[in-house]
Amino acid sequence: MVDHDPGADAPPATRRSPSWPRWLRWTSAIGVLVALALVAGLTTAVVGVRRSWPQTGGELSISGLEGEVRVVRDDHGIPQIYADSTHDLMLAQGFVHAQDRFFEMDVRRHATAGRLSELFGESGLETDLVVRTLGWRDVAEKEVTLLRPATRSALDAYAEGVNAYLEGRSPSEMALEYTLLGITGLDYQPEKWSAVDSVAWLKAMAWDLRGNLEEEIGRAIATEVVGAQRAQDLYPAYPYDEHAPVVQQGAVVGAGDQRVFAQDARDTQDARGAGTTRTLARVRAVLAGVPALLGRGDGLGSNAWVVDGGRTDTGAPILANDPHLGISLPGVWTQVGLHCRTLSDECPYDVAGFSFSGVPGVVIGHNRDIAWGFTNLGPDVTDLYVERIEGDTWEYDGQRLPLVSRTERIEVRDGEDVEITVRSTGHGPLLSDLARFADEDGIELTEDGLLDQVEGIAAVQDTGEDAISLAWTALTPRPTADALLALDRASDWTSFRKALSDFAVPGQNVVYADTEGHIGYQATGLVPVRRPGSDGRLPAAGWLRETDWTGEFVPYDALPSVLDPESGIIATANQAVVDPARYAPYLTSDWDQGYRSDRINRLLAADDELDVEAMAAIQLDDRSAIGEALTPYLLDIELPRGYYSDGQRLLRSWNYQQDADSAAAAYFNVVWREVLERTFRDELPSVIAPDGGDRWFAVVTAMLPRGRNAWWDDVRTDDKVERRSDILRAAMIAARDELTALSSPDPDEWSWGQLHELELRSSTLGESGIGIVERLFNRGGWEVGGGGSLVNATAWDARTGYEVVTAPSMRMIVPLDDLDAARWVNLTGVSGHAFHPHYTDQTDLWARGETLPWMFSQKAVEAAAEDVLLLTPSG
């Protein structure tokens, strides 16, 4: 039943979005100390803020160098490094990364080692519990021993450079953040950097891009709440007939019998139940408290495409990429160029692109021969198992086997150390123990209402132990770091594919182009081979051998790959990679629904004289697929004349574009949020409430033609069965009231950008909960267009509000005939130092859809030089 009277004189107050998640909020004791100390010390700290800024000109002597290194920076501070040996090149990159972003690097290594509590007290404990349970650092230590000697040497040289930066510097000379932490009484000196610190970051990357773990938990909860049949409505299959997969030619590739069959009903039933589902909800609550270092949610994805010379105005390929990751300050990427003055086997690098601070080499970019871009493949590499635990044993294949246990001690700043026992079955660590750890240490698991409204799910039963284990390929040590540096050195399709054969996690779609005119695509990743009858869509019965992984992985040569397709187009935007009717290995069922990829393919196919400008325009395309599907139904709704029909009037001339200035887009997106709330909130608990992403595009689009679909009915009303028209009408009326409250009574003053702002926040002190401190590090107020599951993927979360939560973390376009004509832009600047000119100097360009010249040849780099720093061997 509609719960709002359209005849009421005053519009109701708008719903307030929950506050930004403060995953490193300082404890109250530290907060009080900071507040008191700020009065006396903050002015002094800010006056000395330049102490930590890097020297970018002149000459510096640093230990470890074998020869002179030249660091050339342009007017945005982007460094291009020139050296005579791989050792010096990597050492200089480590030094420059540390100059620009050491605090970020230090926080990252504390996060990946499960040691945030040492810096930030109890607020870091929840993250540390998860990371210690998964053992990221332990896996990284084992991976370092598997690396090729050349990779290990590069990592060690990089660490030398970082340590050369640390040498002789106090923390306050490294970052303003250390100065403020010192005011609170933190007595801290950063440890030396190591190769393990770099490799451990790859575990964080794998975790944030891990695949369908949330979908697996969500399906189980939905099945318990609304039944298996209706739960399927919420997780629709991929529409292969409507949205083309990435690879559309070639023969079926076999890798054993991996076709997925319906799971045995007895096994599925045994692995579920009210108690188990409640445990899953608690596990999800703990995992939600872990900082997403790259981002999370449906907005986490990417666009990458490449066209061959038959579709460009120059006759040469053009490649474009814009990964969609979580927003942060500083941003995930930092740009760099790495150039050997003379290319040789001893110094084979001439590459530029986007790197991770803390990791040597270039992750995405181009060298003198090839260019490449990444999107997340999203293979199902995580499976949850419901385990039967008794004492210190678990059941498997009719036997009781011993649990493997280890003890972890977590140091907590200004608190008592926390000791936990991590238990594992043969599948992996018990995630369900995380909820117990949190209970023991007083960590609140109901943030954002994750558990407050799990209606229909019974409390955990007292008989037996509900235990959930995690199998995850990233916990198997693999030499992924080898792949990154080999990719930087690759010179053709063969060496490109060979390089990626070591890229184990996270599985990626990689598009390719070379200066010889070829284009290609390769899927990467360690994908488990499952037994027939097990597809990873729901938690499995861990005591049954037939639900287990086989211990084998899909062979690299069996992963989808294509070179020079007939269409001349390869576009990947997290959609299905290949039709399972043509391809036997099972990769996943939880693909992005393909709205972005379909739009990209249509735009590319419509033009056979594409150029760099046209590619940039496609990256900024903001046509809304759900707008196109839903708007005709909204226009059919009868609304009271005047005030409440003002928004509907805007929709009559709307072109479905969500640019920042669009009043119609503002109204539509508020309606869309209201439709989701009013359609699903009566039956779905908050843990699986709609976020408005691509899956919900598909769910609602399928419902729209059926006005009496059961989902439209509000089960909370006893005297009426709502239909589609009732829900849409109520949503439109509520949206008008919300826009009046958020923006203006005058629809001509509405704009999507006013609601859809980009706010960049430091994930540490920018989330301190102390306003004056947060203002030092956070920046915001950019009004942007786009939206979730649009090509210009500035996603927002319908559960919390309209602010951007994930976005294109960078944009790049590379024409292979003229590498100096390439374009790039980062979400933030290269600097991690607050108040530095290069802290957010690229954000204004990014928000306007502009890019920077990407000079590559030494002549062009020197011509654009703003600062030159000569690094020389000490002594």
Side-chain angles (χ1 to χ4, degrees):
M1 176 176 290
V2 176
D3 58 2
H4 171 62
D5 176 11
D9 294 334
T14 182
R15 293 194 306 269
R16 294 183 61 84
S17 300
S19 61
W20 192 278
R22 303 187 183 280
W23 61 270
L24 284 181
R25 184 187 292 276
W26 292 349
T27 61
S28 58
I30 295 176
V32 171
L33 286 173
V34 170
L36 294 174
L38 283 176
V39 176
L42 189 56
T43 301
T44 302
V46 174
V47 168
V49 70
R50 291 176 178 266
R51 295 181 65 199
S52 61
W53 290 7
Q55 178 181 337
T56 58
E59 184 174 323
L60 268 178
S61 294
I62 62 175
S63 60
L65 278 181
E66 299 167 350
E68 291 185 349
V69 175
R70 186 176 170 88
V71 182
V72 182
R73 294 184 185 252
D74 64 12
D75 58 352
H76 283 81
I78 299 170
Q80 302 283 343
I81 305 172
Y82 294 86
D84 292 319
S85 68
T86 296
H87 173 272
D88 283 0
L89 193 63
M90 298 303 167
L91 187 151
Q93 185 185 15
F95 184 84
V96 169
H97 273 174
Q99 277 189 308
D100 288 335
R101 296 197 177 188
F102 180 73
F103 183 76
E104 176 188 51
M105 294 164 60
D106 198 20
V107 170
R108 283 178 172 179
R109 72 167 162 178
H110 276 80
T112 57
R115 295 175 55 193
L116 284 172
S117 301
E118 295 178 18
L119 291 179
F120 302 103
E122 292 179 358
S123 59
L125 187 55
E126 189 171 3
T127 296
D128 290 346
L129 290 172
V130 175
V131 173
R132 294 290 186 93
T133 296
L134 296 176
W136 290 1
R137 180 80 179 188
D138 294 340
V139 177
E141 289 175 349
K142 295 172 184 176
E143 288 187 346
V144 167
T145 68
L146 302 178
L147 298 174
R148 296 189 180 99
T151 305
R152 179 59 191 269
S153 295
L155 286 163
D156 287 342
Y158 181 92
E160 281 187 75
V162 177
N163 294 330
Y165 170 78
L166 297 180
E167 190 176 313
R169 284 183 169 84
S170 67
S172 63
E173 292 174 304
M174 301 174 195
L176 175 61
E177 288 90 337
Y178 290 126
T179 301
L180 294 181
L181 287 170
I183 291 174
T184 71
L186 180 67
D187 183 12
Y188 176 73
Q189 184 67 36
E191 300 169 0
K192 286 189 174 183
W193 196 264
S194 72
V196 177
D197 294 327
S198 296
V199 173
W201 171 245
L202 302 180
K203 298 295 103 180
M205 183 172 69
W207 178 252
D208 285 346
L209 303 177
R210 61 191 174 270
N212 76 335
L213 183 61
E214 280 69 30
E215 285 83 357
E216 192 171 332
I217 296 175
R219 274 194 191 90
I221 295 174
T223 300
E224 185 68 30
V225 173
V226 299
Q229 176 95 26
R230 298 186 72 208
Q232 290 182 16
D233 295 343
L234 306 179
Y235 293 88
Y238 185 84
Y240 290 96
D241 294 338
E242 300 173 19
H243 299 159
V246 177
V247 178
Q248 302 176 52
Q249 66 184 57
V252 172
V253 179
D257 184 7
Q258 300 176 67
R259 294 188 180 277
V260 177
F261 302 92
Q263 192 168 359
D264 184 83
R266 176 182 58 85
D267 299 344
T268 302
Q269 183 60 39
D270 285 349
R272 289 203 309 268
T276 297
T277 307
R278 176 75 181 184
T279 302
L280 284 169
R282 290 174 60 78
V283 168
R284 179 163 176 163
V286 175
L287 298 182
V290 178
L293 298 173
L294 295 180
R296 66 160 60 94
D298 280 352
L300 201 65
S302 301
N303 301 326
W305 63 83
V306 61
V307 297
D308 67 17
R311 292 193 168 274
T312 68
D313 65 343
T314 64
I318 304 177
L319 182 146
N321 192 195
D322 56 295
H324 311 148
L325 302 173
I327 57 174
S328 61
L329 186 58
V332 170
W333 304 105
T334 184
Q335 296 134 296
V336 71
L338 302 173
H339 309 279
C340 293
R341 293 191 179 98
T342 301
L343 288 178
S344 64
D345 290 342
E346 290 72 30
C347 196
Y349 295 95
D350 189 14
V351 62
F354 294 85
S355 67
F356 291 133
S357 66
V359 181
V362 166
V363 179
I364 298 175
H366 72 81
N367 59 32
R368 63 169 53 191
D369 298 310
I370 73 170
W372 65 93
F374 282 9
T375 71
N376 198 30
L377 174 66
D380 187 353
V381 297
T382 57
D383 274 357
L384 294 171
Y385 288 90
V386 180
E387 307 285 11
R388 289 177 172 171
I389 305 295
E390 289 184 11
D392 58 359
T393 68
W394 66 291
E395 181 181 339
Y396 180 71
D397 197 23
Q399 304 177 63
R400 298 224 63 87
L401 303 176
L403 291 167
V404 176
S405 300
R406 57 184 163 86
T407 300
E408 296 280 348
R409 180 176 293 276
I410 302 172
E411 295 181 22
V412 182
R413 178 188 171 185
D414 300 326
E416 297 293 328
D417 290 357
V418 172
E419 186 174 289
I420 62 172
T421 299
V422 178
R423 303 185 298 169
S424 298
T425 70
H427 300 117
L430 294 178
L431 296 186
S432 49
D433 281 354
L434 288 168
R436 177 169 55 83
F437 298 154
D439 289 343
E440 292 172 355
D441 293 294
I443 296 174
E444 176 60 56
L445 295 185
T446 57
E447 183 174 345
D448 294 332
L450 279 172
L451 296 177
D452 289 339
Q453 302 179 49
V454 188
E455 301 99 340
I457 300 178
V460 179
Q461 300 167 4
D462 293 331
T463 57
E465 180 180 353
D466 288 287
I468 308 293
S469 67
L470 171 68
W472 180 31
T473 56
L475 299 183
T476 301
R478 293 284 175 158
T480 298
D482 280 338
L484 294 178
L485 291 175
L487 190 56
D488 290 350
R489 301 189 300 265
S491 59
D492 56 21
W493 174 248
T494 300
S495 55
F496 165 81
R497 289 198 70 238
K498 183 178 179 181
L500 290 174
S501 64
D502 286 323
F503 203 109
V505 289
Q508 295 290 290
N509 302 299
V510 191
V511 295
Y512 165 94
D514 64 35
T515 55
E516 296 297 316
H518 300 292
I519 66 171
Y521 162 85
Q522 176 65 53
T524 75
L526 200 64
V527 183
V529 175
R530 294 172 170 84
R531 301 181 191 278
S534 176
D535 64 3
R537 288 167 56 85
L538 285 165
W543 56 91
L544 297 174
R545 185 174 184 275
E546 52 266 36
T547 66
D548 209 352
W549 293 356
T550 65
E552 298 179 353
F553 300 94
V554 178
Y556 176 67
D557 286 337
L559 292 172
S561 177
V562 65
L563 177 67
D564 295 329
E566 297 174 3
S567 66
I569 299 172
I570 303 172
T572 169
N574 315 113
Q575 81 272 34
V577 171
V578 65
D579 191 331
R582 300 176 48 253
Y583 181 80
Y586 177 74
L587 300 179
T588 186
S589 299
D590 289 311
W591 306 106
D592 180 278
Q593 288 289 316
Y595 295 101
R596 284 180 290 116
S597 63
D598 183 66
R599 178 66 174 167
I600 292 167
N601 274 309
R602 290 175 184 272
L603 293 171
L604 292 174
D607 191 346
D608 59 5
E609 291 191 1
L610 291 160
D611 57 16
V612 170
E613 290 73 22
M615 292 293 202
I618 294 174
Q619 287 182 327
L620 299 174
D621 183 82
D622 54 16
R623 186 178 180 88
S624 170
I626 189 60
E628 191 170 358
L630 179 56
T631 298
Y633 293 90
L634 299 178
L635 294 177
D636 284 343
I637 299 297
E638 292 187 9
L639 295 173
R641 289 180 175 273
Y643 175 83
Y644 282 111
S645 62
D646 283 342
Q648 189 182 54
R649 173 178 53 80
L650 294 173
L651 294 181
R652 296 192 186 282
S653 57
W654 187 36
N655 60 2
Y656 311 124
Q657 301 289 334
Q658 294 195 174
D659 57 87
D661 295 331
S662 173
Y667 177 69
F668 175 80
N669 281 296
V670 178
V671 171
W672 171 234
R673 185 183 180 202
E674 291 287 346
V675 167
L676 294 172
E677 170 75 14
R678 293 166 186 276
T679 304
F680 300 104
R681 192 62 189 91
D682 58 316
E683 294 189 72
L684 300 184
S686 56
V687 285
I688 55 173
D691 63 4
D694 66 283
R695 179 163 62 87
W696 296 99
F697 281 21
V699 169
V700 174
T701 298
M703 289 170 48
L704 283 170
R706 296 171 291 171
R708 297 176 182 266
N709 185 291
W711 286 108
W712 298 120
D713 180 41
D714 187 340
V715 299
R716 295 168 297 190
T717 59
D718 297 328
D719 58 344
K720 182 178 181 180
V721 176
E722 283 79 11
R723 303 178 183 179
R724 178 190 63 217
S725 58
D726 298 311
I727 297 301
L728 298 187
R729 183 173 186 271
M732 296 172 79
I733 288 171
R736 180 32 159 136
D737 290 336
E738 176 141 337
L739 276 163
T740 296
L742 290 177
S743 180
S744 169
D746 184 356
D748 292 335
E749 296 180 4
W750 298 346
S751 71
W752 175 224
Q754 189 179 50
L755 303 179
H756 192 52
E757 287 193 341
L758 174 69
E759 299 288 335
L760 297 176
R761 304 181 67 93
S762 161
S763 60
T764 55
L765 303 197
E767 302 288 358
S768 66
I770 302 171
I772 190 169
V773 174
E774 292 188 357
R775 286 191 289 275
L776 293 176
F777 298 100
N778 299 337
R779 305 290 183 269
W782 289 278
E783 297 185 358
V784 299
S789 302
L790 281 58
V791 178
N792 185 17
T794 57
W796 53 285
D797 190 330
R799 295 168 297 188
T800 59
Y802 307 100
E803 282 189 2
V804 177
V805 293
T806 62
S809 55
M810 63 82 160
R811 298 185 181 107
M812 77 173 200
I813 304 168
V814 183
L816 274 296
D817 63 314
D818 183 2
L819 297 176
D820 285 333
R823 308 288 298 186
W824 61 354
V825 71
N826 204 0
L827 176 63
T828 68
V830 297
S831 179
H833 299 285
F835 302 105
H836 192 279
H838 302 313
Y839 191 47
T840 58
D841 60 331
Q842 295 185 57
T843 310
D844 287 335
L845 296 169
W846 180 96
R848 295 196 300 266
E850 300 174 10
T851 54
L852 293 168
W854 181 356
M855 305 306 181
F856 182 71
S857 69
Q858 186 167 4
K859 180 180 179 181
V861 169
E862 295 287 356
E866 187 78 14
D867 291 301
V868 178
L869 175 66
L870 188 66
L871 301 178
T872 60
S874 62

